[in-house]
Amino acid sequence: MQQNSLIIMSNPIKLRYNRIVWGLLFLVLLIGILFIYVDYTGLINENVPQRSNEISKKPSLTYKSRQFYLNGQPLQIISGTINYFRVHRKYWRTRLLQLKAAGFNTVDTCIPWNLHEKTKGSFNFHADFNIRKFIKLAQSVGLYVIIKPGPFVGSQIDFGGLPGWLLKDANMRVRSMYMGFTLAVDNYFQVLMHQLVDLQASPNGGPIIAIQLEHEYGSFGDSLQYLHFLRSTLRRYGATEAFYACETVEGFSRHRRLNGDFIGINFNRPEDGRRMISNRQAWGRDLPLFVSELWSGHQLNWNALDRHDVIRPATLANLISKLLGPMRASLSLHMFHGGTNFGFMASRLVATSHDWDAPVHESGSRDTLKYRAVAAAVSMATGNRSDSSGRRRAEKELFGIVGGSGGRVKDYGNFSIDSVLTWSELINLIEDPKLYESAKFMEEVDQNFGFIVYRSAFKAGQVVTVDGYVADWGLLLINGAPPDPADPSSGQLSGAIPRQHDQQQQVQQQQPAQRHLSLKRSQLAAPTNTLDLIVENLGRSSSSSGGAPEANAQRKGLASWQSLNAEQLQAPGRLLINEQPVPSYKIYSLRLDAAFMAKVAVRRSSWLSVSSAAALPRGQPGLYRASLRLMDEPLADTYLDMSAWRKGVAFVNGFNLGRYWTEAGPQRTLYLPAPLLRRGDNEVIIFELIRPGSHVSFMRSPKFVYPV
C-alpha cells in the first residue's frame, strides 16, 4: 500500500516535467518558424549576411571602374536576344550560329514561368521548353548566356510570363510580397534552378554569366523587400552569378537598386538613352554602361495602323557603333531573332508573328540589310577584340546547314477543306462541363488559355443582355446561330480593342456596361432554347506601366467592374433574358490543347463532308479540316495564308500555330516551320469562329496588310 502511494505521488511531478519539456520544444519550434518567415519574406535588413545554406561562391562576372570582368579578364558583353520558346528546337543551333557569325559573344533569353508550369505543380522542361538543351547549344557554339527567370519577364508574352492560375486566388497581388505569390515563386525557382545550377560559370565553368532580376520593375512598383526576396530565393537554390535589373525611361528614376547588383537600360531612341546614361552616372563611378535592351524593331499588334517604330538598319548600326566603340558599353540587341508567338503565348493584343523587324527574320533568313549592317557595326567597333575564328567556324557550319543565307521557304499551293466538325458536335467533345448558379472566370475553373463557353437554357425571350463585358472577345449564339441569322456578325462582342500605336495602352479598364441583343422569332424553338456565350482569352498584358491595379485584374471570361471602398474590383458578369438573370450556367473549358486536338482528330464519325455541311447556319463556329500531301520534295518552311478566313486558331499535325484575325489585321499568314511537317498527309485543322474559307494556301512569303 505504501509503494502504491509513492507511485501516485510521483505522477504530478512527471506530468509537470513533461509539460515543461513539451513547452520548451514548442517554443523552439515557434522561434524557428518565425526566423524562417522573417528571412523568407525579405524582412531582414539588406546588409545582413547571407544565410549559411545559401550559395556564397563569388560570381564569375564582376565590375570595377565601369568595366566588366569575367574571371578577372575584361569583357565587353555583346549579346542578342533569342527566346528559345519562340523558335522550334530543331532551329536553335542555327539561330545561335547566326548570332555568333554576326560577331556577338552572348545570347540572352527569357524563361517564362507560365510555359514551364502551365498547371500548378506540373512542370515541363521538354521539347521546345528544354532550356538546358538551349543553353548547352549556346555554349557549344562559343556563346555566353544571360538568363531572365523573372518571375515577371515582360517580352510580349501572356501575363509577362506569370501563370494565369495565380489569379484563381481572388486576393492575388502579383509582383509583391503577398504570401500566395511568394510561395508559388519559391516553388518555381526551386524547380527551375535545379535545371540550371550546374550551367553557371561559377563554379562549374558553364556558359551562364548573369541573371536578370524581374523586368522593368521600377515602372510597376518600388518594393526593395520584394526584390530582396527574389534575389535571396535564387541564391538559396544555387544561383551564384551576378544579378542585374533593367529599366526603361519610365521606371529608371524610380528604380531601387540592391547592393552589388548592376543596372541595365532599355531604349531604342538616342534621346532616351542619353537621359538614362546621365542618371546612371549619378549612382556611382564603378557601374559599367550596359544597354540591356537596344531595340532592333518593335512588336506587331492586332489592329496596328502601320509599321510604327521601325528602326532603319543604318540608324541601328550607328547606335551600335557608338555604344561599342567610343562609349565602350556592353549591350544586348533586342531582338536579334524575334520568332513566333506559337499557340496562345502572346500577350494581350499582340499578334502571332513576333518577327520584330529583327536582323534575322521569323523564318530564319538573315539575308537582310539589317543583319549585314549590324554584323558590320559589331566588327568595326570591336576590331581585334572580337572572336574572329569563332565567327569563321560559325559561318562555315551555317553554310553547310542552310547554304549561307538561312531559311528555306516554299510555296506548297492550295488545298481544299474536306470535312467539318460542327459546333454542336464540338462542344459535346468537351469533357466534364460544370453547372454553376453564376458565371465564373476562366481561372476559377482551372483554365489559363483558349476559350470558355457559358451555356444556359431558356424558354422564351426577345432580348438578351450581357451585363458587363467580355475579356477579351465574345460570340453569342442562340440555338447554335447568331441572334440575327441574316447577319453573321450580330453576335460578336468585343472588349477594349483600340487601334493604337503605343504598346503601353494595351490594357484599358472598362466601366460596367450592358449590351442588348434582340432575338428573331425564327431563332427561337419550343419548349427550350439554348444560349451560348463563347469568350476568347486574347492574352493578359505584359506591360509594367499599369501597376498593380491592372496586373491583378486580368481574369478572363464574362466580367464586370464593382466598386468597393473607392476601388474598382473585377467580378464575373451576368447574362439576362428579358432583364431577368439566367438561373444557371453550364461552363465548358475549350482549351484547344494537344490532348483535346488529338481526341478531335480521331473522332472521324463526328466529322461531316463539306457538301453535307453546306446548309449549316452562317456565323456558326466549327473545326475545318484539310490535308496537305507532301511526297518526294524536300520539306521546307512555309506560311499558311488565312486571308480567306476571319478569326480563329490554326493547327498542323496537332501543333498550335497561333491565332489569326484577318478582320483586325495586319497579319494574314502564320509561319509553319518545316520540322512540323512530314512526308505523306499532313493534317490541317482550323478553328474558325465567324466565316470559314473553302481552302487553305501555303506561301513562300509572309503577308501583312495595313489600312494606311
Side-chain angles (χ1 to χ4, degrees):
M1 189 72 182
Q2 189 176 1
Q3 186 178 5
N4 289 339
S5 63
L6 285 173
I7 294 173
I8 292 170
M9 291 294 292
S10 67
N11 281 341
I13 299 172
K14 186 178 292 186
L15 288 172
R16 192 178 300 114
Y17 175 81
N18 288 341
R19 288 194 189 106
I20 293 171
V21 170
W22 282 109
L24 288 172
L25 287 173
F26 178 79
L27 183 62
V28 169
L29 180 62
L30 182 62
I31 292 170
I33 290 172
L34 287 172
F35 175 81
I36 292 170
Y37 175 76
V38 168
D39 187 36
Y40 178 80
T41 55
L43 294 174
I44 56 175
N45 187 280
E46 185 68 26
N47 297 317
V48 172
Q50 296 175 350
R51 283 167 41 195
S52 60
N53 65 331
E54 290 182 356
I55 299 296
S56 58
K57 297 180 178 66
K58 291 183 178 180
S60 58
L61 185 69
T62 57
Y63 62 86
K64 64 179 179 180
S65 303
R66 299 186 179 177
Q67 169 72 56
F68 282 119
Y69 291 85
L70 184 64
N71 297 321
Q73 299 299 312
L75 174 68
Q76 186 174 34
I77 298 171
I78 310 173
S79 185
T81 303
I82 301 176
N83 286 320
Y84 60 97
F85 49 90
R86 287 190 170 113
V87 183
H88 193 280
R89 62 189 180 279
K90 291 294 181 70
Y91 289 159
W92 284 347
R93 186 173 183 85
T94 302
R95 303 294 181 267
L96 292 166
L97 285 167
Q98 290 169 331
L99 183 65
K100 183 68 176 179
F104 290 70
N105 58 23
T106 306
V107 62
D108 58 89
T109 186
C110 297
I111 306 176
W113 180 7
N114 59 1
L115 296 183
H116 290 290
E117 193 181 3
K118 287 185 178 180
T119 303
K120 186 175 182 179
S122 179
F123 294 91
N124 179 13
F125 292 96
H126 305 291
D128 290 342
F129 305 131
N130 190 339
I131 180 65
R132 278 185 64 84
K133 182 176 181 180
F134 180 81
I135 292 173
K136 287 182 175 181
L137 283 172
Q139 184 178 29
S140 72
V141 302
L143 292 168
Y144 300 120
V145 177
I146 294 173
I147 58 171
K148 305 173 183 180
F152 181 87
V153 299
S155 194
Q156 298 78 49
I157 192 168
D158 180 75
F159 212 179
L162 299 177
W165 50 258
L166 289 169
L167 297 176
K168 185 176 182 179
D169 180 347
N171 300 310
M172 177 54 62
R173 298 291 182 266
V174 299
R175 306 175 74 183
S176 77
M177 289 306 299
Y178 177 69
M179 184 169 288
F181 182 69
T182 56
L183 286 172
V185 171
D186 185 280
N187 186 55
Y188 169 61
F189 277 175
Q190 181 180 18
V191 175
L192 176 64
M193 288 309 299
H194 181 72
Q195 297 284 324
L196 305 178
V197 68
D198 63 321
L199 299 178
Q200 298 173 103
S202 173
N204 305 297
I208 298 174
I209 61 171
I211 302 170
Q212 180 177 300
L213 204 62
E214 251 276 350
H215 178 77
E216 298 177 356
Y217 183 70
S219 299
F220 179 89
D222 61 357
S223 173
L224 198 63
Q225 180 184 347
Y226 168 61
L227 296 176
H228 181 276
F229 157 74
L230 296 180
R231 189 174 72 172
S232 62
T233 302
L234 286 167
R235 286 278 188 239
R236 187 165 66 250
Y237 293 128
T240 58
E241 291 305 333
F243 288 107
Y244 73 96
C246 72
E247 294 292 353
T248 60
V249 169
E250 181 184 11
F252 195 78
S253 60
R254 298 195 297 271
H255 176 78
R256 300 180 68 186
R257 185 168 69 95
L258 294 178
N259 294 337
D261 293 1
F262 60 95
I263 183 75
I265 56 179
N266 300 349
F267 71 91
N268 60 356
R269 296 187 303 174
E271 57 269 30
D272 292 342
R274 283 192 291 270
R275 284 173 58 191
M276 288 191 287
I277 288 168
S278 62
N279 289 340
R280 179 197 62 86
Q281 290 173 340
W283 284 5
R285 296 182 178 276
D286 276 350
L287 276 178
L289 174 54
F290 178 47
V291 181
S292 46
E293 288 186 9
L294 176 62
W295 285 21
S296 62
H298 199 275
Q299 72 197 49
L300 180 70
N301 294 334
W302 298 118
N303 275 288
L305 289 170
D306 53 34
R307 290 179 63 85
H308 58 283
D309 286 347
V310 169
I311 300 174
R312 300 184 183 280
T315 303
L316 182 60
N318 186 49
L319 271 172
I320 291 172
S321 296
K322 288 181 178 179
L323 287 166
L324 294 182
M327 301 183 76
R328 302 288 288 179
S330 290
L331 64 80
S332 170
L333 187 63
H334 183 89
M335 304 277 179
F336 179 80
H337 171 62
T340 307
N341 288 314
F342 293 119
F344 300 125
M345 70 171 63
S347 64
R348 190 163 190 261
L349 298 185
V350 173
T352 300
S353 173
H354 205 67
D355 179 86
W356 196 268
D357 192 30
V360 175
H361 281 175
E362 184 176 16
S363 65
S365 172
R366 60 174 180 149
D367 188 17
T368 67
L369 289 174
K370 189 167 283 187
Y371 182 91
R372 290 191 287 272
V374 166
V378 171
S379 179
M380 290 181 64
T382 58
N384 59 9
R385 288 180 285 118
S386 65
D387 181 9
S388 56
S389 61
R391 294 178 68 171
R392 286 195 299 270
R393 285 194 301 271
E395 282 286 2
K396 184 177 180 181
E397 185 173 347
L398 277 172
F399 192 84
I401 295 173
V402 289
S405 61
R408 294 192 183 99
V409 188
K410 188 168 183 177
D411 182 344
Y412 285 116
N414 301 333
F415 296 82
S416 297
I417 297 296
D418 56 44
S419 53
V420 180
L421 187 69
T422 65
W423 175 245
S424 60
E425 291 288 342
L426 173 59
I427 197 168
N428 286 332
L429 291 178
I430 301 174
E431 294 180 353
D432 200 24
K434 296 287 196 305
L435 192 65
Y436 298 95
E437 291 184 356
S438 61
K440 299 294 181 184
F441 288 122
M442 185 178 280
E443 295 80 4
E444 290 181 288
V445 296
D446 298 316
Q447 183 182 356
N448 299 317
F449 303 101
F451 301 77
I452 187 170
V453 183
Y454 302 90
R455 170 166 281 192
S456 189
F458 66 100
K459 291 185 177 180
Q462 290 79 46
V463 178
V464 175
T465 300
V466 179
D467 187 13
Y469 67 96
V470 292
D472 301 289
W473 187 93
L475 183 65
L476 188 73
L477 302 176
I478 304 297
N479 297 326
D484 182 356
D487 180 8
S489 65
S490 62
Q492 293 182 37
L493 302 164
S494 294
I497 305 177
R499 286 194 178 276
Q500 41 77 31
H501 292 270
D502 186 355
Q503 64 165 334
Q504 308 297 347
Q505 298 174 0
Q506 286 184 15
V507 176
Q508 297 186 351
Q509 284 194 359
Q510 303 181 32
Q511 299 304 313
Q514 290 188 338
R515 172 81 183 272
H516 305 283
L517 299 99
S518 298
L519 305 182
K520 300 288 184 180
R521 267 185 204 281
S522 59
Q523 284 297 92
L524 301 180
T528 304
N529 298 276
T530 300
L531 180 155
D532 286 334
L533 176 61
I534 307 166
V535 181
E536 179 182 10
N537 171 1
L538 283 171
R540 302 168 185 87
S541 174
S542 62
S543 171
S544 291
S545 61
E550 287 188 359
N552 296 308
Q554 298 198 70
R555 294 168 183 86
K556 299 300 181 177
L558 177 57
S560 66
W561 290 104
Q562 296 182 357
S563 297
L564 180 66
N565 299 326
E567 184 180 1
Q568 287 277 75
L569 300 177
Q570 197 181 24
R574 299 186 303 166
L575 293 174
L576 298 87
I577 303 289
N578 288 351
E579 300 185 357
Q580 295 299 312
V582 299
S584 63
Y585 299 83
K586 198 172 188 179
I587 296 181
Y588 298 78
S589 293
L590 183 56
R591 294 180 174 87
L592 295 180
D593 55 15
F596 182 79
M597 295 309 296
K599 178 180 177 180
V600 162
V602 299
R603 290 293 292 264
R604 299 287 178 180
S605 61
S606 300
W607 291 76
L608 298 176
S609 66
V610 170
S611 58
S612 301
L616 291 174
R618 296 172 63 204
Q620 184 185 82
L623 289 175
Y624 298 82
R625 181 160 55 191
S627 183
L628 167 62
R629 175 162 290 186
L630 304 175
M631 300 309 292
D632 298 329
E633 63 265 52
L635 300 179
D637 295 352
T638 188
Y639 287 91
L640 177 59
D641 184 9
M642 304 306 298
S643 298
W645 300 68
R646 299 283 288 277
K647 189 178 197 318
V649 188
F651 302 81
V652 174
N653 295 327
F655 185 90
N656 189 338
L657 296 182
R659 303 181 183 98
Y660 64 90
W661 196 357
T662 307
E663 285 188 318
Q667 182 179 352
R668 296 289 180 89
T669 52
L670 295 171
Y671 171 60
L672 171 54
L676 297 176
L677 297 171
R678 60 194 179 215
R679 284 186 172 79
D681 289 330
N682 293 268
E683 185 176 61
V684 181
I685 294 181
I686 311 294
F687 177 54
E688 169 63 42
L689 286 153
I690 305 170
R691 184 195 67 196
S694 60
H695 65 278
V696 291
S697 302
F698 297 89
M699 308 171 57
R700 290 190 70 246
S701 303
K703 183 190 293 186
F704 300 92
V705 179
Y706 294 90
V708 292

